[in-house]
Amino acid sequence: MIECRGVSVVLDGRTILDDAHLAVARGERVSLTGPSGSGKTTLLRAIAGLDPLAHGSVLVAGRDVTDLPTHRRGVGLVFQDNQLF
C-alpha cells in the first residue's frame, strides 16, 4: 500500500503540489490523469523520493518513508519516454 498524506512540493519557489492525498491499496491499480503541468509526475517523484516534500508524508506498507533516501523506499519509477512505444 502507498499513502500520501497532505503532500506539498515546492520547486524553485513555485508550489507544484499543495496538500495532495492519495491511497493505493495492495493489488489495486490506479491511473493519474490530468493536464500537463498539473503535478502528476511530481507526485510520483515525491513518492519515490526524487523530489523533496515541503509538507506531508509518504507511507509505503504502513511505514513512513518520508525521510528515507530514494534507494531505501522500495519504490520504482519508470519515466515516460515516447521511444518506449
Side-chain angles (χ1 to χ4, degrees), residues 7-81:
V7 170
S8 295
V9 175
V10 177
L11 300 173
D12 296 326
R14 183 172 164 237
T15 301
I16 308 299
L17 287 176
D18 187 23
D19 196 34
H21 295 266
L22 174 72
V24 181
R26 182 178 177 94
E28 184 176 25
R29 295 177 192 212
V30 299
S31 175
L32 296 177
T33 62
S36 180
S38 64
K40 302 176 301 287
T41 299
T42 301
L43 179 59
L44 296 175
R45 289 177 56 87
I47 292 168
L50 299 173
D51 285 342
L53 302 186
H55 301 285
S57 58
V58 175
L59 289 83
V60 176
R63 179 177 174 216
D64 190 340
V65 299
T66 306
D67 295 324
L68 289 180
T70 301
H71 67 282
R72 297 204 182 270
R73 291 186 179 212
V75 174
L77 177 62
V78 177
F79 294 97
Q80 177 179 333
D81 185 342

